[in-house]
Amino acid sequence: METIPARRGKAAYVKQGQSIRIVNTHGSQVVDTWAFTAGMLTEFMSMEHTRATITRMIPRPGDGLYTNRRRRILTMTADTSLGAHDTLMAACDSERYILLGVKEYHDNCTDNLFAAMQSLGLVPPECPSPLNLFMNIPWTPTGALSFDPPTSKPGDAVTLRAELDCIVALSACPQDILPINGTSGQPNEAHYEIIG
């Protein structure tokens, strides 16, 4: 089991047919998740293309996750949580924290993505909108959104099977102003393992 340190990111190669199991170790940690096609980083998992293909806001076990070229890159094969994940919110970045009133530098998922990929000698062309695992963003019929604490519990996990050779990047979101990482406001580590 590999550690995603609190407030930091990790990336790993996942071959076609292998799976990556992402564990919400403490139960309250959002894990931003990206996937890039190996050898062609301009093709990456896209939430807008995924929603259009699966015709729902949140993927469930059995659903594919699709790239910006409309190819299935991952399949969600298991989810032991209550299924509250987010496909709407962009990864946090320095500008997001400025809007939240932060004056100094704040760790953020965008920088975590680039650092994680650079640890493999890779530079992504941009920061795509991630699959925000365990992030609870309810919406109303009128279109209102809110940032709520996760509904997951310690040890809940999501398993994603690679349908293409890819690089999966993960960020233990450092958000400590909004309650998306629980009401304590304390980001925690998470874990992952590659299976197969």
Side-chain angles (χ1 to χ4, degrees):
M1 194 76 79
E2 300 288 332
T3 300
I4 313 163
R7 310 174 74 94
R8 296 288 181 264
K10 292 289 282 288
Y13 287 95
V14 186
K15 294 180 180 178
Q16 183 179 24
Q18 290 184 319
S19 293
I20 183 166
R21 181 172 169 266
I22 302 150
V23 182
N24 196 341
T25 311
H26 300 277
S28 59
Q29 181 60 49
V30 169
V31 181
D32 286 36
T33 304
W34 300 266
F36 295 83
T37 302
M40 189 168 57
L41 298 183
T42 54
E43 183 179 14
F44 45 76
M45 183 171 67
S46 165
M47 292 302 96
E48 53 268 40
H49 292 81
T50 294
R51 289 191 301 267
T53 305
I54 67 173
T55 61
R56 57 173 150 256
M57 301 285 274
I58 301 174
R60 303 172 186 166
D63 284 343
L65 301 168
Y66 289 81
T67 72
N68 56 327
R69 297 189 179 182
R70 300 190 192 274
R71 294 201 297 166
R72 186 185 290 222
I73 189 168
L74 298 171
T75 297
M76 181 181 287
T77 58
D79 181 4
T80 65
S81 76
L82 294 176
H85 309 291
D86 169 66
T87 66
L88 296 176
M89 297 299 169
C92 59
D93 48 32
S94 292
E95 292 77 12
R96 171 66 167 152
Y97 287 104
I98 290 170
L99 291 173
L100 291 172
V102 175
K103 303 301 183 187
E104 64 282 347
Y105 177 78
H106 194 289
D107 296 326
N108 63 82
C109 288
T110 297
D111 288 351
N112 287 349
L113 166 65
F114 282 93
M117 295 290 281
Q118 286 168 359
S119 74
L120 299 178
L122 302 171
V123 180
E126 61 181 279
C127 179
S129 188
L131 169 61
N132 294 306
L133 293 175
F134 314 112
M135 188 176 183
N136 184 20
I137 306 293
W139 62 88
T140 70
T142 62
L145 299 167
S146 60
F147 293 87
D148 287 9
T151 62
S152 46
K153 58 187 183 302
D156 277 346
V158 169
T159 304
L160 305 172
R161 184 182 65 231
E163 306 298 349
L164 303 169
D165 289 346
C166 61
I167 302 99
V168 174
L170 306 164
S171 173
C173 181
Q175 176 61 257
D176 53 10
I177 299 169
L178 301 172
I180 63 163
N181 286 317
T183 54
S184 72
Q186 180 61 46
N188 286 295
E189 66 184 7
H191 291 86
Y192 73 92
E193 62 179 339
I194 296 173
I195 304 164

